[in-house]
Structure formats: structure tokens, C-alpha cells
């Protein structure tokens, strides 16, 4: 139903221009005499207008298709588009009686094909591609020649028997037809295989074949086309030899042109530091130039642009900024996806033209049979040869899918449309047959390949998170294997790759990459970054959800986010409320749209403040984190250093918090007792928001503190926003410690505190650790854990933080009874909420800490501590805490005023790594599998 | 291609699978490693080739010493070269239930090490595949576990990662360390924090590899391309 209405809408859109056209001509007549204020100039805009309308129609159609998941799951989009095209074409034909639109070869080859092929090349999983290059080449070259020759010859043989009736074609015409129908089409293959998700080796072989067979197709097509032109009797041996030579020239030449332009592009992108805005443009323009240049030299244009993409991707991605990279990715996907949509729709429309149809049942049916049968035979023979040399064997199932996945598409159609009717007498028959073949392969095979793959249980790709261990071991394997090849004295695949890597590192990178990029581009480091980032994002998502739910008690806020700890604690998790909560809400959402929606919903809720706090803390680090990495500026060696330090520190902390699990057990048991006592009172209150009046946009008052200023200037020097914010957070904790226990060594900026020191401070705290210490410890843990755990940027300011962390970990220890777990963390949470309010409240009353405390406790008292002793202590701590929080917020603001954020927060979201997005045109192999 | 047909010297009855061959190797017999190696390369030519290579490396001696590996120029650039050469002399890789380092290895041992890298065969059943996989992983594990205590400790892991990343001059040791730490944390999420605190055992190691395809990763397809010219 929906689709029907959608189609109706589209039709309306299409009829409109025609109607407008008529009116315009009338109005033109009338107004020709005098000056018209408003004139209607349809003819003036006709061409681009129609193009734009078609694109709109195609895009709208895509939306409509995806309204129903049921349909798109079964029917491939390409098939739907073709059907739609036929339908629309039929309507235009009925209305106009002319088929005015069709897929012309010029448009196809110059505008629609390049984006698709460039996209394929630029996002090609290089390692996989080159790993299987031998197989791909065999299928692409020998396979295509085989298909072309056998199909052409068989058709000719059958023609001689007379079944097809009278045709005006000779052997050469049949071979010409065979050569253009033989090639597997990259567009069709991509469109279908993308939805099937077969395993990567299978995918890369079929897809690589479809890309690389272009050279063969072009040569065969040109050769036979010229042979047909000069006539069969004039074809000599020399001509054939020329054909063979031209194959090598065309393919190698195309590849070289591609590599040359890739080199150029990489080199250019090295120097675009000051023109970031046009950076993405270079990628497209230079790649397109490679295509055009190859076309101009009559080399294989597809090969050129493919190799341009393949070769430049590594360097360009390293050189251009993160934003540019995102822009390139999206633009490329958009162009490719759009082009693909238009191609398939126009294929459908082109079919509706009574002039091109010439039916010959035998010819058409036999063509279908021959291309299928010979494809199967070809695949089996070639695979048999290949399997003798391949490490990973291609099994029978793979061969079935490969044979079945040999889809023909728009390339064949464009080539057949290029044929000259004067030379090739049966052009119309060839065109009709090609259309039928394309429709059959795209619609029928496209429809059935998914069930087939499922039925055969073809190994599918699983999208795993990139794992650091896996990458490391993978690297180890690479080295081991190349070493084994060295030792055994054989040249193998690994040997070559090893040599290439060395060459690349020694020369190419130095030439083509920025200095800063050279440093940061290491695969393993990248994965490491990505993982850290993912951690952070999942925390944000989590935090936002918490925010929107008014921090409903969540015993395991930190636990959830930190994947590392969640695994060993299933029992604890299950008992907690948040576990149930999480079960309902599903996995942590990395989808940016969802995130944004959530943001909006949060804004509506009353606890916008809590969100505000979150935003301040959580978005910034993410931006900054990415930002630091994208800013490949040579001058910023300090940044690099910081960056590195940050990583080291994060890792060390994460690890040490692990270690301290052990050290902290005793400690936590002490805690345990206390919290058991409080449990009853505390439990119910966690979801209650303190009724503080929320002065969200209070003017910042004069609230200076020496220490803060000190901090401030220091972090400004660093030019590191994030350090400031988080540094603040930690800093005030250190302050608290100082005030509460003078004897606790609160080392400031002590980065390289060793593990032993942590533990010793832990002990000290233990000694000090009367009842009063414990609540204090929970502040830091609730505040810090997330960042300590997830953000690379937290400054390691003092011992107290670490001890707190260790305590927190201790509290996560499975040995600790569940009851404690819940109560303890309940408190954490509540205090997180409080902290948000505290900071704001304290703006209002700048006077004394006492006042703050009192004010605060009006809201909290009844629900909070009941035991006087503890209350007193907490009061104290709250006071400190709050003022500290106020300082923090204040300093943040004062910091922001001189240096406003350059980018809105959400803009930055776009700069997240590919894995965070839902790829629009998902060639999902992109980066993870390299 | 029958085994016996290609290598008439080797009786057919000998166990085909490497795992079995290994078990019987407490007392080294001459044909045993050859049998095991058969699954690696299947052709006697390749064994011959390896033998020639062996002789070349050992300078016509019966055994190879560590120093002999220095004569391979290509190996020089390998960042984990030391670990790999070490693995050749690691008795754990050579025989079962023995430990320590061998001073020199003979051709059998050489083939034994090589046989860790043989590709999967089409006709292997599940059990064989599993054992096969374990063998390979054990080799890697032994490489990491440099102090032979059956556990990969954090320090050992760090060492490996440092070596692995030493190829990149821009990466500092600190980065390598934090990466190792991160990897260890990741391992912890699979095996539990205690194990990581004390070191990764082989069982944990196997767990870490669950679901990861090593078929493509630890196989060498020995081609018959002679590169003897490459070493002098």
C-alpha cells in the first residue's frame, strides 16, 4: 500500500514538468511584448531540472523501499529499482508515446560508473584484495575470455543449425556479443553481494573479478568491434596479435595511470594542511582525472580509477584531517549509492522502448543458458587449478556461489548500446537480449542468491569488533610466516608482503605522508585508539541514558561501560536493578541518530542540568580525543607527546585498577559493614531528584580561588580543554584529601607513580580509614571511574584517586555480597546526581562552604544519611565537595568565554570512526579487515 | 596424490596426522617427522628442497646452531626475529614433555618446526582440526612464554609487543607498553581478572582465540620457488 502511494506521488512529480512545459510556452507568447516581472522559463532550466527530478525520484523510491523491511530483506534493492524503472518508463511511454529517457553510454561511463568504481577502490580491503590477487586475476582474465569465447562460439554454432532463423550476423558479431555479455558487472555484484554478506574471501574474489575484468572486456569489445568494422575477410594474424598486445597495454597502462594519479593524490594531500576545506575535493577530482586520462588514452578506465583508489587510500586517509576523511567517506558513499540507484532505475526505464525490442526466443534463451553453464564450468576448472596453490581452499559451496554470483549489469548494457547499427546488423537483438540477461541475473539470481546462500550454509562474515589481541597476534603471525619463508628459503606471499612493507616504510611513507601522520599511522595503534574511543562512546551513550532516566539507581554504571569488568561479574549484575533496566533498553547504542534523539528527549526532561554536566564532561573528551588525533600538524609535537602520555596513563590505570582488585579486598570488606548499616535508608532514594531549584544560567559570580587560577593558567598552556576539565575533577578530590587528612600524600601532577606507591597510599588510607573516610572514597570512585576507565585523558593527579579506584574495583569484587554492591553503588549514583546540582547551587551562594552545605542538605537531608555521626562527616565532605564542584564549573565557564567552542558538539559526532556509523552504502569491509 | 606414491621410502601405515606422530615421538624415530611433514608439503621434492636448505644453513653439518640463522639476510629486518629463531630451539616445540633450550637441532627437528605451518587439509575431521589448531596455537604460546612457566605474564606480553612494534621507529616503547596493557585488559575480559593478574595460561589463550579463524593466519604454502640465490 505504502509503496503504491509512494509511486503515485512520484508519478505526480513526473507529470508536473510536462504540464509546466506546456504552460510556459503559452505564457511566453503573451509576455513577449512587454517586460514581465515574473516570467516562466521552463526551457531555460529544462535539462538540469529533469535530471534533478529523476535523482529525486530515485532517491524517494529508495526511501519508499526501505519503509518496509520485509520487502528489502527478500528482494534486492537493485531488482526493485529495475521494476520501478520499467513501471515509470511505461507510464511515460503511455503519456508521451515516446521513450525519451534511457541510459546513454555517455552518461553511464562518464558520470555514473566512476563514483561506484572509485568507492569500491577507495574502500577496498587492500590486504584481502592483494592476498587473493592471483585468484582474482585468473578469474578476471582467463574466466572472462573463456566466457566470451565459449558463449560467442556456442551461439554461433547453434545459429548454424538454423534454430534461430535468419540473422545477419557472422562469427565476429557473435563473438562481439559474447565479449560484452561475458563480463561480470561490478555494479550488479556489489548491489547484490552487499546484502548477502558472504564471507570476505568469497566476496573479494567475485567483486575483484568484476572490477578487474574490465580491461579484458574493453579489449575484447574493441577488438571485435573493429574486426566487425573491417570485415571478417580482412582479419589477419597480425590483427589478432595486435589484439593480444593491446590487452596488455590496456590493462597495464590503465593500472599504471591509476597508480600515477594515486601517487599524485597522496603527494598533494600531504600539503593541504592550510586548505582543509577543499581537501576532500582533491580526492574526487584527481581520481576522476585518472579515469578520464585512461579513457583518453583508450586504456582501461575502470582499472585506472580502481587502482587509484586502492593505492592512495592509505596515504590519503593518513594525511587528510578527520573531518575531511568523514566528508570523503560520506560523499563517496552518497555518490556511489546515488549512481547505483539511478543506473538500475534507468536500466528499467530503458527497457521500455518499443523500438529496441526484437525478439528471438531461441537466441535469448540460449544466451541465458550458455552464460550460466559456461560460468559454472569456467569456475570449476579455474578453482581446480587455483586450489592447488591456495592456502585457503575454495570449496564446492564457494564455487556454487561464485558461479551463481556472476551477475551481468549496466556495463554490458552500456556497451551494447554503443554498438553501431550500420556495422552490427543485429544490434537490436543484441540489445534486447542484453536487457533480458541483465534483468534475469539481477532480478532472478539476485532474488534467489540469498536463500541459496542460506541453504548452502555458506560461511558468512561476522562483524566482530576489532580486537587488540587479534591484531597483535595477527602482526606476530605475519612476521612469523615471513620468517619461516625466509628460513625455508622460498618466496611466498608473506615474503613479498614483508618486502613491500619494508619498502613502504622506508621510502613511500616518507615521501607521501606527513611527518605527524607517519608517527600515528600504525594499525595496531589505530585499533587501540578505536577501542578507547569506543569505550568512551559507549560510556557517553550509557551516561546519556542514565541522564534521561534521571540517573535511576544504577549500581553498575561504571561496570556496564567498562567492558573489561562486566564479564567476570555476571552474578552481581543480575541482581542489580540496572541490569533489568539494561535488558530492556538493549545494547549500548552507538547509532548517532539515536544518540541525538536521546539528547533531545533529555533536554525536555527536568534534569537538564544533569545532562549539562554530562555534556560538559563527556562530549568534550570525545571531541578532543579525536581532535588531537586528526590534527596532524607538524608543529604540535607537544600534542603528540601529551597524546602518548595520555594513552600510557590510561592503560596503566586500567591495569593497575585491575591489580588493585586484589589489594583492595580487605578494604572493601570494612566498607561493607558500614554500608550494610546504611543500606535500608539509602536504597529507596536513588531515583529521587533533590528538589533544588535549578539556576541553570546563573551569571557566574566572582568566585576566585588561587588554586583554580593556577590550574587554569597551567592548562591553558597545555591548550588542552579536556585536561582542564577532568583535571579539575580530580584536583578537587585531591583538595578534599588535603583538608581531611593532612598526612595523606596528595601528589599533584605525579604522573609516574608506580604501582607500589599506589598500594602504599592505599594502606595509608586504610589506616586513616575510619568510618568517615569511606563516603569520601565514593565520590571519587563514582566521578572518576568512568573517565579513568574510559577516557584516555584523565590526569593522574593524586593518590587519592587511585585508591578510590581501587576501592571501587574492590567493591566490584564478586566476593563481596550483592547487598553491599547495590547499596554502595546506589550511593555513588545519587551522589553523581547531587554533584550536578551542587555545582550549580553553589553559584548562587558564593559565601561560605557552610552555607552551601546547609542549603544543600535541605534538599537531601530527609532522604540521605540518618545517623548523626555519619551525617556530620558527610556534611563536611559535601561542603568541600560542593565548593570544589562549583569551582570546577566556574572555571570551566570562565575558560569557555575567551575560547568558545569552535564546533557545535554534534558536528563533532560526525568525526567518529567509521565503525560508529551506519554506513550509508555499506561496503562495510572498509577498515577493519585490512 | 597418494603419499606412498610420492615418497616410496615412507611406509603408508605411519600415522598421517601430525598430532599422532608427535605422541609417538618420545623416542625420536627417523621417519616420524618426515611423516608429519608429509602433511605439510605432500611432495618429496619439497622435503628435498628443505633438506638442501638445511644443509646450506648448517654449512653441510648435521645440525644447525643459532648462529647459522644469522646468515639469512632477509631475516634481519624481522622485528621478532629473536623470538622466532628461539622457537626453533625450544624443546617444547620439538618434543613433548621436555623443556629447556636445545643447542642445536637436526633436520628432523627442523622439519618438525616447519610442520607447524602446514595448511589444513580438506579431509580433516573436526577432532583433527581441533588438535591441529591447538598445536599451532601452542607454538605461538610458547613463543610468548619466554620463561617457560606455562603462563604469559604481563611483562612477557609487553616484551613481545615491544618487539613487534619495534619496526616502527616512531612508536615509542611507552606506547607499546600501553598497547600491551590494553591487550592484557582485553584478555581479562575474556578470561577473568585473576588470570591476567597471574598470567595467561594456555587454556585462557585458547579461549582468547575462540571464534578467530587461524586457517589463513598460520599457514605457509610452500611453493617450489628456489630462492637459494637470496642467501649467501
Amino acid at each position: 500500500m505504502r509503496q503504491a502511494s509512494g509511486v503515485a506521488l512520484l508519478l505526480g512529480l513526473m507529470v508536473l514538468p510536462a504540464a509546466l512545459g506546456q504552460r510556459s510556452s503559452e505564457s511566453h507568447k503573451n509576455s513577449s511584448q512587454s517586460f514581465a516581472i515574473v516570467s516562466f522559463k521552463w526551457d531555460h532550466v529544462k535539462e538540469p531540472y529533469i535530471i534533478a527530478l529523476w535523482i529525486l525520484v530515485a532517491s524517494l523510491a529508495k526511501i519508499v523501499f526501505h519503509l518496509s523491511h520485509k520487502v528489502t530483506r527478500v528482494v534486492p534493492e537493485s531488482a526493485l529499482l529495475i521494476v520501478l524503472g520499467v513501471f515509470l518508463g511505461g507510464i511515460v511511454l503511455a503519456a508521451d508515446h515516446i521513450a525519451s529517457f534511457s541510459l546513454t553510454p555517455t552518461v553511464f561511463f562518464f558520470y555514473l560508473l566512476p563514483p561506484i568504481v572509485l568507492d569500491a577502490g577507495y574502500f577496498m580491503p587492500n590486504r584481502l584484495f592483494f592476498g587473493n590477487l592471483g585468484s582474482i586475476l585468473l578469474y578476471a582474465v582467463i574466466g572472462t575470455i573463456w566466457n566470451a569465447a565459449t558463449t560467442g562460439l556456442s551461439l554461433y554454432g547453434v545459429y548454424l543449425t538454423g534454430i534461430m532463423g535468419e540473422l545477419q550476423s557472422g562469427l565476429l558479431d557473435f563473438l562481439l556479443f559474447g565479449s560484452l555479455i561475458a563480463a561480470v558487472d561490478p555494479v550488479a555484484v556489489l548491489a547484490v553481494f552487499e546484502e548477502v554478506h558472504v564471507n570476505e574471501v568469497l566476496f573479494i574474489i567475485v567483486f575483484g573479478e568484476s572490477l578487474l575484468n574490465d580491461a579484458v572486456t574493453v579489449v575484447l569489445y574493441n577488438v571485435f568491434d573493429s574486426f566487425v568494422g573491417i570485415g571478417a575477410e580482412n582479419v589477419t594474424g597480425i590483427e589478432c596479435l595486435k589484439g593480444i598486445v593491446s590487452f596488455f597495454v590496456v590493462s597495464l597502462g590503465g593500472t599504471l595511470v591509476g597508480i600515477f594519479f594515486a601517487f599524485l593524490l597522496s603527494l598533494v594531500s600531504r600539503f593541504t594542511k592550510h586548505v582543509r576545506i577543499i581537501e576532500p575535493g582533491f580526492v574526487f577530482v584527481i581520481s576522476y582525472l585518472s579515469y578520464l586520462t585512461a579513457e583518453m588514452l583508450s586504456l582501461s578506465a575502470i582499472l585506472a580509477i580502481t587502482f587509484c583508489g586502492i593505492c592512495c587510500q592509505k596515504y590519503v586517509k593518513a594525511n587528510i584531517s578527520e573531518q575531511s576523511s568523514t566528508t570523503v567517506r560520506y560523499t563517496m558513499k552518497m555518490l556511489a549509492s546515488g549512481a547505483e540507484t539511478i543506473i538500475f532505475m534507468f536500466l528499467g526505464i530503458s527497457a521500455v522502448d518499443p523500438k529496441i525490442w526484437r525478439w528471438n526466443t531461441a537466441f535469448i534463451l540460449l544466451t541465458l543458458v550458455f552464460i550460466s553453464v559456461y560460468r559454472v564450468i569456467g569456475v570449476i576448472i579455474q578453482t581446480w587449478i587455483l586450489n592447488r596453490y591456495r592456502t585457503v581452499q575454495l570449496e564446492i559451496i564457494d564455487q556454487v556461489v561464485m558461479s551463481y554470483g556472476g551477475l551481468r549489469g549496466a556495463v554490458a548494457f552500456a556497451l551494447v548500446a554503443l554498438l553501431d547499427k550500420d556495422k552490427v546488423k543485429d544490434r537490436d537483438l543484441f540489445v534486447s537480449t542484453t536487457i533480458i540477461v541483465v534483468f534475469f541475473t539481477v532480478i532472478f539470481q539476485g532474488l534467489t542468491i540469498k536463500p541459496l546462500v542460506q541453504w548452502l550454509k555458506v560461511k558468512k562474515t561476522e562483524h566482530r569488533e576489532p580486537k587488540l589481541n587479534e591484531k597483535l597476534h595477527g602482526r606476530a603471525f605475519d612476521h612469523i610466516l615471513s620468517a619461516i619463508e625466509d628460513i625455508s628459503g622460498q618466496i611466498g606471499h608473506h615474503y613479498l608482503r614483508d618486502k613491500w612493507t619494508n619498502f613502504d616504510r622506508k621510502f613511500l611513507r616518507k615521501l607521501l605522508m606527513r611527518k605527524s601522520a607517519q608517527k600515528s599511522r600504525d594499525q595496531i595503534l589505530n585499533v587501540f585508539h578505536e577501542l578507547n574511543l569506543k569505550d568512551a562512546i559507549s560510556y557517553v551513550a550509557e551516561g546519556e541514558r542514565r541522564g534521561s532516566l534521571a540517573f535511576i539507581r544504577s549500581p553498575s554504571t561504571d561496570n556496564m561501560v567498562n567492558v573489561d569488568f562486566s564479564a567476570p561479574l555476571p552474578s552481581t549484575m543480575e541482581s542489580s536493578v540496572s541490569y533489568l533496566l539494561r535488558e530492556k533498553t538493549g545494547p549500548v547504542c552507538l547509532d548517532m541518530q539515536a544518540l541525538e534523539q536521546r539528547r533531545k528527549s533529555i533536554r525536555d526532561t527536568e534534569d537538564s542540568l544533569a545532562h549539562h554536566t554530562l555534556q560538559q564532561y563527556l562530549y568534550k573528551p570525545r571531541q578532543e580525543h579525536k581532535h588531537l588525533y586528526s590534527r596532524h600538524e607538524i608543529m604540535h609535537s607537544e600534542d603528540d607527546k601529551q597524546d602518548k602520555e595520555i594513552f600510557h596513563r590510561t592503560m596503566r590505570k586500567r591495569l593497575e585498577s585491575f591489580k588493585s582488585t586484589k589489594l583492595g579486598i580487605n578494604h572493601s570488606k570494612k566498607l561493607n559493614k558500614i554500608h550494610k548499616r546504611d543500606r535500608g535508608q539509602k536504597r529507596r532514594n536513588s531515583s529521587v531528584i533533590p528538589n533544588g531549584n535549578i539556576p541553570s544560567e546563573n551569571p557566574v559570580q566572582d568566585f576566585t580561588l588561587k588554586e583554580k587560577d593556577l590550574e587554569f593558567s597551567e592548562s591553558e598552556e597545555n591548550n588542552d580543554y579536556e585536561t582542564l576539565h577532568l583535571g579539575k575533577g580530580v584536583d578537587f578530590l585531591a583538595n578534599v584529601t588535603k583538608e581531611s587528612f593532612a598526612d595523606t600524600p596528595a601528589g599533584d601532577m605525579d604522573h609516574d607513580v608506580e604501582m607500589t606507591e599506589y598500594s602504599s597510599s592505599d594502606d595509608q588510607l586504610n589506616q586513616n580509614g575510619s568510618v568517615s573516610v569511606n563516603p569520601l572514597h565514593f565520590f571519587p570512585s563514582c566521578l572518576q571511574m568512568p573517565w579513568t576507565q574510559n577516557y584516555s585523558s584523565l590526569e593522574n593527579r593524586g593518590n587519592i584517586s587511585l585508591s578510590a579506584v581501587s576501592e571501587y574495583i574492590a567493591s566490584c569484587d564478586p566476593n563481596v555480597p550483592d547487598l553491599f554492591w547495590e547499596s554502595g553503588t546506589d550511593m555513588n549514583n545519587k551522589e553523581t546526581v547531587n554533584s550536578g546540582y551542587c555545582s550549580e547551587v553553589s553559584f548562587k551562594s558564593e559565601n561560605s562552604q557552610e552555607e552551601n552545605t546547609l542549603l544543600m542538605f535541605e534538599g537531601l537531608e530527609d532522604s540521605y544519611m540518618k545517623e548523626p555521626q555519619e551525617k556530620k562527616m558527610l556534611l563536611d565532605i559535601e561542603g568541600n565537595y560542593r565548593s570544589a564542584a562549583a569551582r570546577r564549573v566556574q572555571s570551566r565557564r570562565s575558560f569557555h568565554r575567551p575560547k568558545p567552542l569552535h564546533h557545535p558538539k554534534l558536528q563533532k559526532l560526525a568525526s567518529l570512526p567509521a565503525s560508529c556509523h551506519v554506513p550509508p552504502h555499506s561496503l562495510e569491509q572498509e577498515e577493519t579487515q585490512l | 596424490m597418494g603419499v606412498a606414491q610420492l615418497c616410496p621410502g615412507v611406509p603408508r601405515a605411519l600415522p598421517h596426522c601430525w598430532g599422532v606422530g608427535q605422541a609417538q615421538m618420545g623416542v625420536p624415530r627417523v621417519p616420524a617427522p618426515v611423516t608429519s611433514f608429509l602433511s605439510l608439503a605432500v611432495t618429496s621434492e619439497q622435503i628435498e628442497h628443505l633438506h638442501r636448505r638445511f644443509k646450506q644453513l648448517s654449512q653441510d653439518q648435521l645440525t644447525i646452531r643459532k648462529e647459522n640463522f644469522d646468515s639469512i639476510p632477509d631475516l634481519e629486518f624481522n622485528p621478532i626475529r629473536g623470538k622466532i629463531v628461539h622457537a626453533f630451539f625450544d624443546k617444547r616445540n620439538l618434543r613433548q614433555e621436555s623443556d629447556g633450550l636445545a643447542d642445536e637441532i637436526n633436520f628432523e627437528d627442523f622439519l618438525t618446526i616447519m610442520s607447524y605451518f602446514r595448511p589444513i587439509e580438506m579431509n580433516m575431521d573436526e577432532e583433527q582440526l581441533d588438535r591441529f589448531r591447538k598445536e599451532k596455537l601452542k607454538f605461538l604460546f610458547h613463543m610468548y612464554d619466554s620463561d617457560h612457566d606455562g603462563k604469559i605474564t604481563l611483562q612477557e606480553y609487553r616484551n613481545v609487543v615491544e618487539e613487534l612494534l619495534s619496526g616502527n621507529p616512531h612508536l615509542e616503547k611507552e606506547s607499546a607498553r600501553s598497547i600491551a596493557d590494553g591487550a592484557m585488559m582485553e584478555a581479562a575480559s575474556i578470561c577473568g581478572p585473576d588470570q591476567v593478574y597471574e598470567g595467561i595460561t594456555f587454556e585462557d589463550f585458547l579461549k582468547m582465540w575462540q571464534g578467530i579463524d587461524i586457517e589463513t593466519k598460520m599457514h605457509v604454502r610452500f611453493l617450489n620457488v628456489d630462492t637459494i640465490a637470496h642467501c649467501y
Side-chain angles (χ1 to χ4, degrees), chain A residues 678-693:
Chain A
D678 300 336
R679 205 189 98 235
Q681 289 103 334
K682 286 177 200 161
R683 273 195 80 166
R684 294 289 145 219
N685 301 321
S686 49
S687 59
V688 179
I689 302 165
N691 60 335
N693 35 357

Side-chain angles (χ1 to χ4, degrees), chain A residues 847-878:
Chain A
N847 302 345
S848 69
Q849 296 178 358
E850 248 79 43
E851 220 183 281
N852 282 343
T853 323
L854 288 173
L855 201 147
M856 196 56 222
F857 265 77
E858 275 169 18
L860 288 175
E861 206 170 21
D862 52 342
S863 62
Y864 224 54
M865 301 285 171
K866 287 257 161 81
E867 283 177 31
Q869 259 190 348
E870 278 188 38
K871 184 176 160 186
K872 185 71 193 158
M873 277 317 297
L874 199 87
L875 220 105
D876 218 312
I877 293 147
E878 279 275 357

Side-chain angles (χ1 to χ4, degrees), chain A residues 85-328:
Chain A
V86 172
F87 190 66
L88 291 183
I91 287 178
V92 172
L93 185 72
D96 264 7
H97 298 287
I98 40 153
S100 47
F101 309 105
S102 71
L103 190 64
T104 60
T106 323
V107 171
F108 175 73
F109 281 119
F110 279 130
Y111 305 111
L112 295 177
L113 190 57
I116 297 176
V117 182
L118 176 64
D119 175 72
Y122 191 76
F123 295 109
M124 177 75 76
N126 271 354
R127 192 186 162 120
L128 205 59
F129 178 75
F130 285 109
N132 294 294
L133 189 60
S135 316
I136 292 170
L137 277 178
L138 186 78
Y139 286 121
V141 178
I142 307 293
T144 308
I145 293 176
W146 157 267
N147 280 347
T150 49
T151 309
L153 289 175
S154 305
L155 281 174
Y156 183 65
V158 175
Y159 164 66
L160 290 183
T161 64
I163 294 176
M164 292 177 197
E166 273 304 302
L167 293 176
Q168 293 150 300
S169 302
L171 174 63
L172 284 176
D173 300 77
F174 278 101
L175 283 175
L176 176 60
F177 177 69
S179 71
L180 66 87
I181 206 75
V184 177
D185 182 68
V187 185
V189 165
L190 253 187
V192 169
F193 271 66
E194 218 164 60
E195 297 175 24
V196 179
H197 300 296
V198 292
N199 65 67
E200 49 196 33
V201 175
L202 199 54
F203 176 81
I204 203 74
I205 287 179
V206 178
F207 177 54
E209 178 198 341
S210 71
L211 276 179
L212 299 195
N213 66 15
D214 174 65
V216 183
T217 314
V218 167
V219 172
L220 285 181
Y221 179 84
N222 286 341
V223 166
F224 287 122
D225 196 33
S226 64
F227 283 3
V228 170
I230 61 176
E233 59 283 349
N234 297 330
V235 176
T236 57
I238 296 166
E239 296 291 326
C240 293
L241 200 70
K242 270 193 202 161
I244 294 169
V245 172
S246 84
F247 164 71
F248 288 103
V249 173
V250 166
S251 55
L252 293 179
T255 310
L256 284 180
V257 166
I259 291 173
F260 171 75
F261 276 93
F263 185 81
L264 194 71
L265 175 54
S266 309
L267 202 63
V268 167
S269 74
R270 200 188 152 172
F271 301 104
T272 51
K273 196 173 85 190
H274 302 296
V275 283
R276 289 286 191 211
I277 278 299
I278 58 165
E279 228 169 26
F282 284 118
V283 177
F284 294 101
V285 169
I286 295 182
S287 314
Y288 192 50
L289 272 181
S290 76
Y291 186 88
L292 292 180
T293 310
E295 193 70 46
M296 180 177 75
L297 301 171
S298 66
L299 304 171
S300 166
I302 292 187
L303 274 186
I305 199 167
T306 304
F307 274 93
C308 182
I310 286 176
C311 298
C312 77
Q313 54 167 271
K314 184 175 166 190
Y315 307 105
V316 169
K317 278 176 189 167
N319 281 337
I320 62 178
S321 74
E322 200 64 41
Q323 280 92 343
S324 305
S325 178
T326 313
T327 313
V328 169

Side-chain angles (χ1 to χ4, degrees), chain A residues 101 133 199 245 268 270 273 294 324 409 435 457 487 535 594 600 625 645 699 726 732 752 772 791 798 810 818 826 901:
Chain A
F101 309 105
L133 189 60
N199 65 67
V245 172
V268 167
R270 200 188 152 172
K273 196 173 85 190
S324 305
I435 290 176
K457 297 194 182 70
I487 290 170
D535 260 7
K600 279 178 188 149
H625 176 82
E645 242 175 56
L726 295 173
F732 86 83
D752 292 310
S772 60
Y791 289 97
D818 291 349
D826 268 0
L901 275 178

Side-chain angles (χ1 to χ4, degrees), chain B residues 2-231:
Chain B
V3 168
Q5 188 187 329
L6 282 163
C7 311
V10 181
R12 258 217 112 131
L14 277 172
H16 190 63
C17 168
W18 166 243
V20 180
Q22 175 87 329
Q24 295 176 348
M25 261 188 54
V27 185
R29 291 179 301 160
V30 178
V34 179
T35 325
S36 68
F37 187 72
L38 275 178
S39 0
L40 163 70
V42 196
T43 61
S44 53
E45 292 143 48
Q46 292 191 329
I47 295 179
E48 253 169 51
H49 168 82
L50 282 175
H51 191 63
R52 246 182 300 147
R53 179 70 177 169
F54 179 84
K55 278 207 290 195
Q56 189 192 20
L57 287 178
S58 66
Q59 283 144 0
D60 283 332
Q61 301 298 304
L62 281 175
T63 55
I64 285 187
R65 305 181 139 271
K66 259 191 180 169
E67 300 82 69
N68 294 123
F69 282 101
D70 294 338
S71 62
I72 306 169
D74 292 326
L75 213 53
E76 244 171 71
F77 303 106
N78 205 315
I80 51 168
R81 163 178 193 286
K83 288 241 179 318
I84 294 165
V85 173
H86 196 272
F88 271 80
F89 297 91
D90 194 330
K91 279 187 183 162
R92 289 174 299 177
N93 292 335
L94 296 174
R95 323 211 183 315
Q96 268 190 352
E97 284 149 31
S98 62
D99 205 352
L101 271 186
D103 289 329
E104 46 187 26
I105 53 168
N106 55 20
F107 183 56
E108 276 175 48
D109 299 332
F110 188 70
L111 281 186
T112 308
I113 298 292
M114 286 295 177
S115 74
Y116 279 103
F117 298 95
R118 68 184 197 273
I120 287 177
E121 280 168 78
M122 293 290 252
N123 53 2
M124 278 182 159
D125 59 29
E126 286 289 311
E127 197 187 331
Q128 279 174 321
L129 272 177
D130 192 47
R131 200 161 40 202
F132 190 69
R133 188 184 160 88
K134 266 189 194 164
E135 286 293 333
K136 283 169 188 281
L137 288 180
K138 200 140 206 163
F139 183 85
L140 191 68
F141 184 79
H142 287 160
M143 231 175 76
Y144 287 176
D145 176 23
S146 51
D147 64 357
H148 297 231
D149 66 349
K151 277 171 189 162
I152 303 172
T153 57
L154 180 61
Q155 199 50 49
E156 282 169 340
Y157 207 11
R158 277 182 181 168
N159 285 342
V160 174
V161 174
E162 264 169 41
E163 276 186 37
L164 268 181
L165 298 179
S166 63
N168 186 345
H170 302 296
L171 266 184
E172 284 158 24
K173 261 195 173 178
E174 273 290 294
S175 308
R177 276 183 66 172
S178 47
I179 286 174
D181 293 356
M184 208 66 173
M185 294 283 288
E186 200 183 87
S189 66
I190 300 166
C191 323
D194 279 3
Q195 273 87 344
V196 168
Y197 185 62
E198 286 151 11
I200 303 171
T201 61
F202 184 61
E203 279 69 38
D204 295 330
F205 197 65
L206 281 181
K207 262 189 236 163
M208 276 162 60
W209 279 92
Q210 248 165 25
I212 300 176
D213 205 16
I214 63 160
E215 281 171 28
T216 50
K217 287 186 179 135
M218 207 167 152
H219 296 236
V220 176
R221 165 77 51 170
F222 289 95
L223 301 172
N224 281 320
V225 185
D226 239 78
T227 57
I228 287 173
H230 280 258
C231 25

